[in-house]
């Protein structure tokens, strides 16, 4: 019985991964293999880095049963602030980065205060910060693009880790990539073994071996595919490293810590959470403050990648991030969703965008397709739950 | 005037296997005021919901004859068309709309295809208000600017606008003060003169014996008897006897080898005001104590203030301007938040487990450890999920939670099993004092018995247990000592040896009487 339950739970997670692979294969056929080229795989990561970072923060908001509409504007505002500090005021880049993070922190605290301590609905507060942030960005940039930013700034969004390239086939391959992929593989296998051992120690039922092996094989295949592709290109982008660290940390926080549990409990039933000793105001405050900081991180990455800050930067990012969470299985009512789901959701959106661009569909049509996919994913999710009930 | 307007015969209604109504018969004569009496959960409201079509025709068995015709009501509209209007305990008014708009809500005065005729609305609203003695009321004022008493009267005006023949009032005076109640009763007598039949559900027996022409007593979903004015004895004692006269055999497991020790918790001079209304005092100078190994009951009617008392003690979860002292093990403590309460080893299980006790979409395991997570299942903020699983498995077995695994969502469990999860959740916080608010509400007899056994085990292990219950037999069957609470005050204290249902009821009635005199 226990095993059966585990299978059911995991299937939902895997369903998204399967959808991701299916969409990728579909565009592989449609684009004649273009989307699997090393350059394109690298672009996928670079283009979607900030969406993933925002989706991670947004998931926490979605878990509480709310959203943050202001993140796109905070992305623009923090990027603009950093750009102005380095270009106009000639301040060192690290100072500019800290200032950008401070902008995010302040806007996060601002939202958190109104939401948590004054009980203003998050939709309203973040709609206000969306307008205020955008307006301030236009004001401080005087409605003009600020650039170009120097390489000591742009490395965050466009740079790569050091590489050791050796000849391979027709080109070269980066040994660092291979090394990182190997270490990741070993860590994954070790953690799975540790997991099984803990279960055995406590006498819990374990998943059937074939399932565990299949899971590891699929994950390893994806990891090696990605790393092999980027190894034949320029190596590991800094964005990937940043993404990896953030996803790892937030996955840990949401799934293994008391703080994470409190967010789920609040989203599932705020009244019950309060009567269980959870300070729901504090949880709300930190969730929104955290979103502000992550929006600033995304703002730095975006301005670095574009080598400039524009007043229109980050327009509509909030919707991409929210969409990623929902596609990744989070419930609009709160209490349900995972970081990994949100990341997969972000990549599904990313692969769709990228694939449609490659086969020459206009951005107008792309929006239609994205809308359909979002609605379809959530509808399937809701209907499958209804059947179970 | 002796013809029968309503006859309900052999009405049986089940909720997932539990019989809420069992072969109920009710006859109401035209132009009379007929009262329905019974304990909380006896089935009075269910019967009225059957009559008004809230539980549609076909969802129950039995027959309704109204004005000599068989009534088959599929929804409230059906019954309203026949002139049956029900006014629920919770008022169905839209707070920001005006008095006139509320009077004709769902029954709008139209001039032409959905266009509202405001002149007609206002003039007719005035007429309706005059019928309930509110002729001087401003019909353009928003309804929330009026007091509860007037709102209740406007509900009646609303019913009058629907050409009511049979008016059903469910606990109309529960939220009213004495003056307002009196006015409402006068209006009822006035309506009677106009030929309108009324069915009133009320706990306030003095009011019933004042207005009613006949009283039907319902107990455990069955009709016990119907008392007729002028024919039968019509005193409160007589009604109480009908309401509570049930045999209690082995419904409550005996508690043996349980030593009562020192006082664990002592509350003194506790005062609480309503969270939205700083003038309205909900708890007035209450003092009580519980000892180790003792089960103490808080008896009283709905709205007496028991839940408010418990929640205000439990980390100030209810009310404002809270004053008074709490001593735990003889030491005064200051409990400002639920976290403080948990740290001082107090636990509280809510009467509303679905809304305040559980995260229904989450699994058994996480619900069980929710309150104890910080103190017992984590280190430096990181959850030890293995220990969590061990504890959840242990309590699933201990409490006999019927579920296929601890990963099952609690929303899919039966009420009784959900209640066991709630109990386990608070036992895991290792409390010294457990306050159980309506621990057996809405659960079947078997699960009730298991909950009582759990209460016994808790007392035996030296914990102090407070049971809040509206079911008097339950309080009597499980508790060593009982505080009777009425209108935010302690109306009396009874020991296990002396307590009977009649005594509790009397305690409340006498206290009501005294309060009324004090008020005048």
């Amino acid at each position: 019985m226990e095993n059966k339950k585990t299978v059911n739970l995991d299937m939902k997670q895997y369903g998204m991964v399967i959808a991701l692979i299916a969409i990728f294969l579909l565009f592989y056929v449609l684009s004649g293999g273009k989307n699997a080229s090393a350059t394109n795989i690298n672009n996928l990561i670079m283009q979607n880095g900030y969406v993933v970072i925002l989706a991670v923060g947004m998931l926490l908001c979605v878990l509480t049963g709310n959203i943050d509409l202001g993140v796109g504007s905070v992305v623009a505002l923090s990027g603009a602030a950093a750009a102005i500090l380095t270009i106009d005021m000639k301040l060192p880049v690290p100072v500019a980065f800290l200032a950008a993070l401070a902008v995010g922190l302040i806007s996060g605290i601002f939202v958190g205060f109104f939401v948590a301590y004054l009980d203003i609905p998050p939709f309203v507060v973040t709609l206000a910060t969306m307008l205020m942030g955008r307006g301030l960005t236009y004001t401080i940039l005087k409605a003009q693009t600020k650039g170009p930013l120097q390489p000591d700034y742009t490395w965050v969004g466009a740079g790569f880790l050091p590489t050791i390239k050796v000849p391979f086939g027709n080109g070269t391959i980066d040994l660092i990539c291979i090394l990182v992929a190997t270490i990741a593989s070993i860590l994954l296998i070790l953690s799975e073994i540790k997991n099984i051992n803990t279960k055995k120690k406590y006498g819990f039922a374990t998943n059937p071996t074939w399932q565990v092996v299949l899971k590891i094989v699929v994950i390893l295949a994806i990891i090696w595919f990605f790393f092999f592709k980027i190894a034949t290109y320029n190596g590991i982008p800094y964005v990937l490293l940043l993404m990896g660290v953030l996803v790892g940390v937030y996955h840990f926080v949401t799934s293994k810590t008391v703080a994470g549990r409190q967010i789920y409990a609040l989203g599932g039933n705020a009244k019950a959470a309060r009567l269980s000793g959870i300070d729901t105001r504090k949880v709300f405050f930190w969730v929104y403050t955290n979103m502000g900081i992550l929006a600033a991180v995304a703002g730095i990455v975006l301005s670095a990648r574009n080598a400039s800050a524009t007043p229109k930067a980050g327009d509509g990012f909030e919707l991409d991030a929210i969409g990623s969470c929902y596609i990744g299985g989070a419930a609009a009512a709160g209490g349900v969703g995972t970081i990994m789901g949100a990341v997969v959701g972000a990549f599904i959106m990313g692969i769709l965008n990228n694939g449609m661009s490659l086969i020459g569909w206009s951005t107008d049509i792309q929006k239609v397709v994205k809308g359909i996919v979002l609605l379809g994913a959530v509808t399937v999710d809701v209907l499958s739950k209804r059947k179970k009930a | 005037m002796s013809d029968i307007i309503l006859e309900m015969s052999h009405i049986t209604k089940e909720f997932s296997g539990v019989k809420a109504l069992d072969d109920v018969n009710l006859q109401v004569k035209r132009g009379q005021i007929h009262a329905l009496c019974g304990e909380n959960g006896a089935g009075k409201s269910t019967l009225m919901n059957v009559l008004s079509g809230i539980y549609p025709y076909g969802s129950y068995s039995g027959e309704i004859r109204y004005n000599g015709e068989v009534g088959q009501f599929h929804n409230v509209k059906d019954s309203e068309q026949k002139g049956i209007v029900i006014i629920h305990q919770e008022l169905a008014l839209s707070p920001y709309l005006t008095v006139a708009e509320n009077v004709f809500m769902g029954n709008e005065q139209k001039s032409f295809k959905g266009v509202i005729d405001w002149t007609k609305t206002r003039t007719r609203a005035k007429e309706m208000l005059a019928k309930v003695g509110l002729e001087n009321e401003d019909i353009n004022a928003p309804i929330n600017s009026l007091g509860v008493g007037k709102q209740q009267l406007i509900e009646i005006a609303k019913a009058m606008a629907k050409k009511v023949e049979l008016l059903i009032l469910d606990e109309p005076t529960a939220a009213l003060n004495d003056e307002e109640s009196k006015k409402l009763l006068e209006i009822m007598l006035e309506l009677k003169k106009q030929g309108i039949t009324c069915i009133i559900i009320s706990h306030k027996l003095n009011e019933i014996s004042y207005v009613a022409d006949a009283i039907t007593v319902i107990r455990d979903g069955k009709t016990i008897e119907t008392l007729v004015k002028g024919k039968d004895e019509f005193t409160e004692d007589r009604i109480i006897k009908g309401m509570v006269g049930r045999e209690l055999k082995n419904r409550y497991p005996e508690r043996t080898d349980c030593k009562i020790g020192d006082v664990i918790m002592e509350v003194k001079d506790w005062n609480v005001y309503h969270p939205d209304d700083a003038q309205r005092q909900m708890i007035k100078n209450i003092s009580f104590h519980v000892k180790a190994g003792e089960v103490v009951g808080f008896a009283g009617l709905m709205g007496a203030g028991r839940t408010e008392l418990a929640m205000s003690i439990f980390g100030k979860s209810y009310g404002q301007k809270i004053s008074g002292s709490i001593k735990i093990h003889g030491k005064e403590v200051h409990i400002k938040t639920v976290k403080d309460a948990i740290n001082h080893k107090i636990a509280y299980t809510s009467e509303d487990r679905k809304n305040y006790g559980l995260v229904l979409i989450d699994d058994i395991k996480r619900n069980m450890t929710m309150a104890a997570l910080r103190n017992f299942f984590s280190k430096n903020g990181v959850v030890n999920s293995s220990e969590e699983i061990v504890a959840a498995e242990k309590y699933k077995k201990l409490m006999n939670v019927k579920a296929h695994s601890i990963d099952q969502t609690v929303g899919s469990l039966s009420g009784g099993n959900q209640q066991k999860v709630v109990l386990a959740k608070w036992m895991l916080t290792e409390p010294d004092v457990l306050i159980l608010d309506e621990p057996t509400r809405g659960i079947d007899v078997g699960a009730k018995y298991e909950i009582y056994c759990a209460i016994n085990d808790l007392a035996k292990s030296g914990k102090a247990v407070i049971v809040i219950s509206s079911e008097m037999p339950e309080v009597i069957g499980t508790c060593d000592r009982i505080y009777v609470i009425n209108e935010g005050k302690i109306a009396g204290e009874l020991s296990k040896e002396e307590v009977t249902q009649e005594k509790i009821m009397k305690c409340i009635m006498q206290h009501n009487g005294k309060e009324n005199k004090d008020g005048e």
Side-chain angles (χ1 to χ4, degrees):
Chain A
M1 293 280 245
E2 207 125 323
N3 290 337
K4 204 175 151 202
K5 191 72 197 167
T6 321
V7 176
N8 282 343
L9 274 178
D10 284 346
M11 274 319 284
K12 208 179 132 190
Q13 290 274 324
Y14 295 150
M16 285 299 150
V17 177
I18 291 164
L20 179 84
I21 295 170
I23 292 169
F24 188 81
L25 291 178
L26 176 71
F27 282 105
Y28 184 83
V29 174
L30 289 178
S31 69
K34 265 193 232 162
N35 76 336
S37 72
T39 325
N40 191 54
I41 294 292
N42 185 67
N43 280 346
L44 257 179
I45 294 165
M46 298 282 225
Q47 279 167 1
N48 290 295
Y50 31 85
V51 177
V52 171
I53 294 168
L54 292 175
V56 163
M58 189 64 77
L59 182 85
L60 305 188
C61 301
V62 170
L63 282 180
T64 67
N66 296 289
I67 49 175
D68 187 336
L69 290 173
V71 294
S73 299
V74 178
V75 164
L77 185 62
S78 52
I84 289 172
L85 287 181
T86 50
I87 293 173
D88 293 353
M89 304 193 177
K90 310 274 185 259
L91 286 172
V93 171
V95 175
F97 284 175
L98 281 179
L101 291 175
V103 168
L105 176 70
I106 290 164
S107 93
I109 289 175
F110 181 83
V111 175
F113 174 75
F114 277 91
V115 169
Y117 295 100
L118 298 181
D119 294 322
I120 313 292
F123 193 95
V124 176
V125 181
T126 60
L127 189 59
T129 54
M130 179 183 179
L131 293 169
M132 289 154 63
R134 189 61 65 189
L136 280 176
T137 312
Y138 271 88
T139 311
I140 62 172
L141 285 177
K142 302 194 180 70
Q144 279 168 4
T145 300
K146 182 79 48 185
L149 291 158
Q150 296 308 305
D152 60 344
Y153 186 115
T154 57
W155 62 270
V156 187
F160 296 88
L161 286 169
T163 53
I164 306 168
K165 287 184 179 172
V166 292
F168 179 79
N170 295 329
T172 57
I173 193 161
D174 172 29
L175 289 182
I176 301 285
C177 277
I178 304 299
L179 183 69
V180 171
T182 313
I183 293 172
S185 309
I186 293 170
L187 285 179
L188 181 75
I189 293 169
L190 282 181
S191 88
E192 207 51 57
I193 291 173
K194 191 182 158 230
N195 192 358
I196 291 171
N197 281 343
T198 323
K199 280 187 176 172
K200 278 195 180 141
K201 190 178 123 200
Y202 281 95
F204 302 153
T206 48
N207 297 13
T209 319
W210 67 267
Q211 270 186 32
V212 179
V213 171
L214 186 68
K215 186 176 115 186
I216 293 179
V217 167
V218 170
I219 296 174
L220 286 186
I222 294 175
I223 289 178
W224 278 95
F225 175 75
F226 262 83
F227 274 89
F228 178 73
K229 288 291 180 183
I230 58 174
T232 57
Y233 190 67
N234 272 341
I236 300 172
Y238 278 106
V239 177
L240 181 63
L241 181 70
L242 182 64
M243 233 164 66
V245 170
L246 285 175
V247 169
V249 167
Y250 281 87
H251 172 67
F252 178 78
V253 168
T254 51
S255 62
K256 303 264 192 241
T257 67
V258 176
R261 270 308 172 74
Q262 293 189 340
I263 300 173
Y264 281 96
L266 165 67
N269 184 347
K271 292 179 213 156
R274 211 170 300 134
L275 274 184
S276 301
I278 294 169
D279 188 341
T280 49
R281 290 183 190 278
K282 212 165 108 186
V283 175
F284 261 126
F285 181 79
W286 284 111
V287 162
Y288 278 93
T289 302
N290 172 68
M291 183 73 254
I293 298 170
L294 285 182
V297 172
I300 294 171
V301 171
L302 181 68
S303 56
R305 178 171 157 75
N306 293 340
S308 66
T310 67
K312 272 188 107 67
D315 194 22
F317 279 15
E318 59 280 349
L319 300 179
D320 282 342
I322 295 164
S324 303
C325 296
Y326 290 158
I327 291 177
V336 177
T338 59
I339 291 288
M340 287 306 171
V343 172
V344 172
F347 272 104
I348 286 181
M349 298 264 265
I351 288 172
L352 268 174
N353 271 339
N354 173 272
M356 288 188 290
S357 300
L358 283 178
I359 60 173
W361 288 8
S362 72
T363 48
D364 310 340
I365 296 296
Q366 289 183 22
K367 281 186 182 154
V368 176
V369 173
K370 267 158 69 178
I372 292 171
V373 168
L374 172 63
L375 186 62
V378 176
T379 307
V380 167
D381 193 37
V382 169
L383 290 185
S384 69
K385 263 182 217 156
R386 191 182 297 169
K387 234 176 239 167
K388 242 191 270 170
Chain B
M1 289 294 270
S2 69
D3 66 322
I4 284 157
I5 184 168
L6 172 75
E7 183 165 16
M8 298 178 82
S9 38
H10 309 294
I11 304 287
T12 298
K13 165 90 188 157
E14 288 186 15
F15 291 105
S16 48
V18 181
K19 275 189 185 167
L21 294 175
D22 188 0
D23 197 28
V24 171
N25 296 297
L26 178 68
Q27 268 192 3
V28 181
K29 285 184 183 163
R30 191 179 301 279
Q32 290 205 333
I33 297 178
H34 196 110
L36 277 181
C37 285
E39 287 185 308
N40 297 334
K44 298 162 299 195
S45 295
T46 313
L47 184 65
M48 290 303 104
N49 287 341
V50 164
L51 173 57
S52 61
I54 291 174
Y55 298 134
Y57 174 76
S59 71
Y60 56 89
S61 64
E63 193 187 56
I64 300 175
R65 288 188 85 84
Y66 179 71
N67 275 333
E69 297 167 28
V70 176
Q72 298 183 351
F73 307 130
H74 296 278
N75 51 46
V76 181
K77 267 235 139 66
D78 283 359
S79 64
E80 282 187 354
Q81 263 167 9
K82 301 273 181 193
I84 302 175
V85 179
I86 183 163
I87 298 176
H88 292 278
Q89 210 171 338
E90 291 88 24
L91 298 178
L93 298 169
S94 185
Y96 304 108
L97 295 185
T98 66
V99 170
E101 283 168 322
N102 266 293
V103 168
F104 291 103
M105 193 162 60
N107 180 27
E108 285 79 7
Q109 299 299 299
K110 287 167 270 192
S111 51
F112 163 78
K113 294 242 176 201
V115 178
I116 289 181
D117 183 340
W118 286 107
T119 319
K120 200 170 155 198
T121 301
R122 296 205 176 96
T123 46
R124 287 215 54 209
K126 276 236 173 261
E127 278 171 42
M128 295 305 144
L129 289 182
K131 288 190 183 180
V132 295
L134 289 178
E135 51 273 5
N136 297 324
E137 211 53 50
D138 176 11
I139 53 164
N140 294 318
I143 205 109
N144 62 350
S145 66
L146 274 58
V148 197
K150 281 189 179 165
Q151 291 191 16
Q152 185 70 259
L153 292 178
I154 283 170
E155 275 277 13
I156 296 177
K158 192 172 145 191
M160 304 292 292
K162 289 175 186 162
K163 297 199 172 58
V164 62
E165 267 186 64
L166 174 63
L167 181 65
I168 304 163
L169 297 145
D170 191 351
E171 298 274 0
T173 60
L176 306 190
N177 65 29
D178 293 309
E179 203 181 318
E180 290 168 332
S181 303
K182 208 164 172 202
K183 179 148 191 212
L184 189 120
L185 297 178
E186 295 306 329
I187 297 282
M188 281 182 71
L189 293 172
E190 188 58 39
L191 295 179
K192 184 178 149 186
K193 277 187 202 152
Q194 296 172 22
I196 292 170
T197 316
C198 280
I199 297 178
I200 177 173
I201 299 177
S202 178
H203 281 298
K204 297 190 179 167
L205 301 182
N206 52 340
E207 294 177 358
I208 285 177
S209 46
Y210 175 60
V211 294
D213 299 300
I215 300 169
T216 295
V217 178
I218 296 182
R219 188 202 307 153
D220 293 339
K222 296 191 181 88
T223 26
I224 300 303
E225 55 189 348
T226 298
L227 307 169
V228 181
K229 199 168 204 163
K231 212 167 91 189
D232 299 289
E233 198 188 338
F234 227 59
T235 60
E236 288 173 30
D237 279 347
R238 179 67 190 81
I239 303 169
I240 291 173
K241 202 176 153 200
M243 276 166 63
V244 298
R246 116 180 76 186
E247 285 206 78
L248 297 175
K249 266 186 198 156
N250 294 329
R251 283 189 50 199
Y252 304 96
E254 223 168 304
R255 188 161 55 246
T256 46
D257 314 321
C258 185
K259 267 191 212 141
I260 294 181
D262 299 332
V263 172
I264 291 191
M265 182 165 86
E266 190 174 10
V267 174
K268 267 217 166 112
D269 304 324
W270 200 252
N271 287 293
V272 180
Y273 288 82
H274 194 276
D276 302 326
D277 183 356
Q279 301 306 315
R280 196 163 151 208
Q281 192 167 3
M282 303 302 290
I283 300 296
K284 299 159 191 162
N285 255 330
I286 282 188
S287 299
F288 69 92
H289 67 271
V290 228
K291 293 175 186 159
E294 189 183 34
V295 181
V296 167
F298 284 177
L301 300 174
M302 273 188 202
R306 295 163 302 165
T307 297
E308 290 78 2
L309 172 64
M311 282 181 70
S312 60
I313 291 169
F314 189 66
K316 304 201 170 169
S317 303
Y318 173 89
Q320 57 171 334
K321 295 203 293 181
I322 298 170
S323 64
S325 72
I326 304 173
K327 278 185 188 169
I328 305 264
H329 294 294
K331 245 192 262 164
E332 178 150 0
V333 293
H334 296 279
I335 298 172
K336 290 201 187 70
T337 63
V338 174
K339 202 169 138 190
D340 292 344
I342 293 172
N343 290 338
H344 282 111
K345 308 224 162 282
I346 302 175
Y348 168 74
T349 67
S350 169
E351 59 178 334
D352 183 353
R353 59 180 165 267
K354 286 192 173 152
N355 285 320
Y356 287 89
L358 295 165
V359 178
L360 293 176
I361 55 170
D362 218 336
D363 58 26
I364 294 174
K365 170 185 69 191
R366 285 170 173 228
N367 269 289
M368 278 188 177
T369 56
M370 196 155 105
L373 201 61
R374 195 199 319 260
N375 291 349
F376 295 101
F377 297 100
S378 65
K379 207 172 158 189
N380 302 325
V382 179
V383 177
N384 185 339
S385 46
S386 302
E387 290 297 337
E388 198 186 359
I389 294 172
V390 171
E393 290 286 4
K394 182 179 149 198
Y395 274 85
K396 176 176 174 275
K397 209 176 274 172
L398 187 77
M399 300 299 294
N400 192 24
V401 178
K402 289 180 194 83
H404 57 71
S405 125
I406 55 168
D407 294 325
Q408 196 177 335
T409 54
V410 292
S412 64
L413 300 178
S414 71
N417 284 308
Q418 287 181 352
Q419 190 64 31
K420 291 178 197 170
V421 173
V422 173
L423 268 183
K425 166 179 159 183
W426 287 103
M427 283 157 82
L428 278 166
T429 64
E430 300 183 5
D432 289 339
V433 182
L434 283 105
I435 308 173
L436 310 178
D437 197 349
E438 302 285 358
T440 66
R441 174 174 288 174
I443 69 181
D444 62 81
V445 183
K448 275 187 181 181
Y449 190 84
E450 288 179 285
I451 301 277
Y452 298 140
C453 290
I455 291 175
N456 284 353
D457 291 339
L458 286 169
K460 275 185 213 168
S461 65
K463 311 215 181 275
V465 184
I466 296 172
V467 175
I468 299 174
S469 175
S470 297
E471 289 184 37
M472 274 182 261
E474 177 171 288
V475 183
I476 294 167
T478 52
C479 297
D480 298 308
R481 199 154 51 83
I482 291 160
Y483 291 102
V484 181
I485 297 182
N486 191 45
E487 297 185 356
K489 289 183 182 173
I490 291 194
E493 187 183 337
L494 300 161
S495 71
K496 192 180 182 67
E497 290 72 34
E498 58 179 334
V499 69
T500 59
Q501 298 191 49
E502 282 83 356
K503 273 195 179 157
I504 295 177
M505 266 299 183
K506 257 202 178 129
C507 218
I508 294 169
M509 295 306 155
Q510 279 168 0
H511 187 256
N512 269 343
K514 219 166 65 192
E515 288 289 293
N516 290 351
K517 258 178 230 155
D518 290 352
E520 276 165 20

